[in-house]
Amino acid sequence: ADQTALKKLAGYRAAEFVEDGMVVGIGSGSTIAFVVEALGKRVAEEGLQIKGIPTSDKTRRTAAKLGIPMHNVDDVDHIDLTIDGADQIDENFAAIKGGGAALLWEKIVAVNSRRNIWVVDDTKLAPQLTHYLPVEVIPYGADQLFKRLKYAGYQPTWRLDQNGNPVRTDSANYLIDLHFTKMPDPFKLGRELTSMVGVVEHGLFLNIVDQVVVGRADETIAVFD
Ligand code: DER
């Protein structure tokens, strides 16, 4: 099956973990689009009662259009379950996220959720994290920060849109993508990055996920706890 079919398979399976009455964090990206589609159907057909908390403006709009009531993260007491995608997940359930430019709100929603589920097709699984690492940075002084990241050997590149302009996140920050051949200690790297003045957050999601739903090439779904 092609990757999109696997994303749909996994997305629909993950949506089944949503129960009536839940406050649900809704992730960003093309895999989550299927989760939103499945939840929209349940809201419309079963009268599923949920409160959706978006991880991006795009998700807020897409989910609202499908009839899912959307609220802000500060409108609720807590989030029961968040379902999100990922760019790469290693054997320790560490992930790199942020390919969709939503990493800051995704991490805010994730850390305020009682449970986190990631939904991926099996191309996202890897023994080690090798995917580029997005870092969200404050625009003021970002060029200086870029130079510091370069000298530190992180091989930084600006996240540009299709017109070659720097992408602005929903918090109006910039994204710098770092490139590695190997990442021996994600925890150490994460601490180093967040200690740099001007760095808001990075796309290493460590000790966050509880369950991973994987759409596999043989069209089966694996759920790893
Ligand atoms: O930005 C993210 O972390 C998203 O979850 C995203 O990168 C996953 O994208 P995909 O589901 O479109 O592959």
Side-chain angles (χ1 to χ4, degrees):
D2 69 348
Q3 208 184 351
T4 303
L6 300 186
K7 289 183 176 189
K8 179 164 187 169
L9 203 64
Y12 270 68
R13 174 67 187 85
E16 290 170 21
F17 287 105
V18 174
E19 292 160 18
D20 205 56
M22 274 188 172
V23 176
V24 184
I26 303 176
S28 297
S30 61
T31 309
I32 291 305
F34 290 115
V35 174
V36 173
E37 187 180 275
L39 290 177
K41 280 198 176 79
R42 288 180 58 191
V43 166
E45 292 158 14
E46 298 166 20
L48 178 73
Q49 297 277 339
I50 54 172
K51 285 184 177 177
I53 308 293
T55 54
S56 62
D57 277 335
K58 187 161 190 286
T59 291
R60 187 203 317 272
R61 287 194 305 276
T62 310
K65 218 179 288 175
L66 289 176
I68 299 169
M70 298 304 283
H71 298 258
N72 280 315
V73 63
D74 293 320
D75 295 340
V76 296
D77 171 68
H78 69 275
I79 301 168
D80 296 301
L81 170 66
T82 287
I83 305 177
D84 202 347
D87 295 314
Q88 195 170 53
I89 305 177
D90 75 8
E91 290 160 346
N92 306 315
F93 277 12
I96 287 180
K97 283 169 58 50
L103 75 93
L104 178 58
W105 290 19
E106 289 174 336
K107 201 178 270 190
I108 289 169
V109 168
V111 301
N112 287 294
S113 300
R114 293 204 168 146
R115 262 172 72 70
N116 283 283
I117 292 177
W118 290 335
V119 204
V120 294
D121 62 274
D122 59 1
T123 64
K124 304 291 187 62
L125 305 181
Q128 269 229 15
L129 295 177
T130 54
H131 189 279
Y132 64 80
L133 176 59
V135 178
E136 182 150 344
V137 303
I138 295 291
Y140 190 68
D143 289 337
Q144 303 299 347
L145 174 57
F146 187 95
K147 285 189 288 191
R148 296 212 303 278
L149 289 164
K150 199 179 180 84
Y151 297 145
Y154 290 136
Q155 299 184 61
T157 59
W158 290 104
R159 181 77 64 88
L160 305 176
D161 64 20
Q162 64 272 17
N163 307 319
N165 301 313
V167 163
R168 289 280 192 156
T169 66
D170 288 339
S171 293
N173 293 321
Y174 287 145
L175 286 167
I176 295 175
D177 292 322
L178 309 182
H179 298 77
F180 301 85
T181 48
K182 61 186 186 310
M183 193 185 296
D185 186 345
F187 288 86
K188 180 166 174 283
L189 174 58
R191 286 193 302 272
E192 277 168 9
L193 291 172
T194 37
S195 71
M196 295 179 80
V197 174
V199 170
V200 177
E201 194 48 76
H202 55 76
L204 285 167
F205 280 56
L206 311 172
N207 289 339
I208 284 185
V209 80
D210 300 288
Q211 206 165 33
V212 180
V213 177
V214 183
R216 294 189 294 196
D218 62 359
E219 305 212 349
T220 60
I221 298 169
V223 181
F224 299 108
D225 292 304

